[in-house]
Amino acid sequence: MSTFCRLLTRTATRTRIRAFSQTRRLLSNSDESEWNKGERSLYPGSKSRFSHDVMQCRPWSLKEDGEGVSLYRVMNREGELLDPKEDPNLPDETLVKMHRTMMLLNTVDKILVDAQRQGRISFYMTNYGEEATHIGSASALDSNDLVYAQYREAGVLLWRGYTLDEMMNQCYGNHLDPAKGRQMPVHYGSAKLNYYTISSPLATQMPQAPGAAYALKRAHAGLCVMCYFGDGAASEGDAHAAMNFAATLDCPVIFFCRNNGYAISTPTEDQYRGDGIVVRGPGYGIDSVRVDGNDVLAVHNVVKAAREICVKKNKPVLIEAMTYRVGHHSTSDDSSAYRSIDEVTYWDREDHPISRFAHYLKRKGLWDEKMEEELRRECKKRVMEAFAGAEKSLKPSLETMFTDVYEEMPKHLEKQFKELKDHIAKYPDHYPKNVST
């Protein structure tokens, strides 16, 4: 054991002994101390009162009426403020940017889904119905805060300045793609935008996030980490380890759960019996809140408040954003096999985050139908231009299949590279010609 570990262990032990002694002293000073009455536990793992009623000793459970933890919202489905004091009063240009970014993301989704269906890209994941979770959260963060995303937070990148060209190049995996075509489409990443590259395996970003947050705390950076994940990822072991590490190490990290109702084809009713994900936070000692994920202003408010707790107190916060995944899980999924068309149609038409926010902007006199139509045409034009440019670009050089693992290509990879070139030379008709040299 290192000197540092031994010192840390001795310090923690002395602290526990001191706390126990002080508690006994405090209780014994009163005439009828709780210690003597046996009403409060001194077990080191809890701070509980004793009870002779077994029902009072049960932890949180669902109420008989089926109600769960309350849901914070700022506006209703018609864009009306429920309490004017909860309006964040963002500048008009910021509000318009929020709507424009959500609309742009929606257009990207439509075009790239069609591209995948036509065989022009291999894979895609849409963000339909969850746009407010992206833009509401991203607008409340500092641009230098670190983001550990899952795979459905493309709007966060767009908000931070990720260009359509960068997005299309990544999805096409051409020679302009920083990952050189070695990542699946939608597995974005950007060092300059402090957005860590997405990984396919579920929940791997979750234990990494508190580690990065701990480093920020040690550096007194005044920043936090935003960690996005879904309700399905919350069932992974990594989620529990991540939250426990964050709580015990006092890490400035926001755990942002998008509870969209389904873990691919598994509905939440088959994932857990508790009331969502938010109730798990108190079990780890983490401040937790549930928010209407289709209300972009409500999401903005809770993330702003959570960030303040993280930065000022070096504490983690858990946010559960209740939303609905309107699209299929991915282009490899057919959601009609496990949910009804009527269910999807309801959320798409009756409570979509983009239309709700449009109602709010219209009430403020910042938006109208003509502006909406012009924006649709503008977004489509911009996306199609970037799409066409990425599609025409050359594929990465063959050599990139063998680089970036070793500083210098070792002999066995040089041999494999030569074998590949010889094979292509022998069967040229079976390989694409649009490859960068």
Side-chain angles (χ1 to χ4, degrees), residues 291-302:
V291 63
D292 184 346
N294 286 8
D295 181 344
V296 68
L297 298 182
V299 174
H300 175 91
N301 284 353
V302 297

Side-chain angles (χ1 to χ4, degrees), residues 25-131:
R25 194 180 312 115
L26 177 65
L27 294 176
S28 61
N29 285 339
S30 60
D31 293 335
E32 291 187 352
S33 69
E34 289 185 312
W35 170 266
N36 294 326
K37 290 192 299 181
E39 292 183 353
R40 184 177 291 278
S41 160
L42 288 180
Y43 292 118
S46 70
K47 303 178 180 66
S48 307
R49 289 182 179 277
F50 288 109
S51 172
H52 60 274
D53 185 346
V54 67
M55 298 303 293
Q56 291 183 4
C57 297
R58 295 176 63 192
W60 176 90
S61 61
L62 287 171
K63 298 178 183 178
E64 291 183 3
D65 58 10
E67 288 189 7
V69 176
S70 299
L71 200 63
Y72 172 72
R73 68 179 352 184
V74 171
M75 55 184 169
N76 61 21
R77 294 170 186 166
E78 290 71 43
E80 296 176 305
L81 292 174
L82 301 173
D83 183 349
K85 295 194 299 292
E86 294 302 308
D87 190 339
N89 294 311
L90 297 171
D92 291 350
E93 57 269 25
T94 300
L95 295 172
V96 172
K97 178 186 176 184
M98 293 168 82
H99 185 64
R100 291 178 64 89
T101 307
M102 288 194 287
M103 288 289 292
L104 181 61
L105 177 61
N106 194 260
T107 305
V108 169
D109 283 347
K110 291 175 181 176
I111 291 174
L112 287 182
V113 164
D114 288 344
Q116 192 280 334
R117 297 308 190 204
Q118 296 164 10
R120 299 162 87 169
I121 61 174
S122 61
F123 177 81
Y124 193 70
M125 302 184 79
T126 67
N127 306 276
Y128 296 140
E130 302 178 32
E131 294 89 349

Side-chain angles (χ1 to χ4, degrees), residues 11 15 22 34 47 68 72 78 110 112 124 150 174 177 182 192 263 269 274 290 303 312 336-337 384 391 406 426:
T11 302
T15 301
Q22 289 172 349
E34 289 185 312
K47 303 178 180 66
Y72 172 72
E78 290 71 43
K110 291 175 181 176
L112 287 182
Y124 193 70
Q150 191 161 318
N174 59 34
D177 170 24
R182 294 176 300 201
K192 67 180 180 182
E269 62 190 30
R290 174 177 282 167
V303 172
K312 291 186 177 180
S336 65
M384 288 303 298
E391 191 170 43
Y406 301 94
K426 187 175 182 180

Side-chain angles (χ1 to χ4, degrees), residues 389-407:
E391 191 170 43
K392 293 175 182 176
S393 295
L394 299 175
K395 294 298 181 183
S397 166
L398 290 173
E399 187 176 7
T400 60
M401 294 176 63
F402 303 91
T403 57
D404 294 343
V405 175
Y406 301 94
E407 184 176 1

Side-chain angles (χ1 to χ4, degrees), residues 2 6 52-53 74 78 96 104 109 126 136 168 176 244-245 257 303 318 321 334 354 362 408 429 434:
S2 68
R6 287 196 295 270
H52 60 274
D53 185 346
V74 171
E78 290 71 43
V96 172
L104 181 61
D109 283 347
T126 67
M168 298 300 163
L176 298 174
N244 198 47
F245 270 116
C257 176
V303 172
L318 170 63
D334 178 9
I354 295 179
K362 290 173 184 176
E408 296 182 5
D429 294 338
N434 60 334

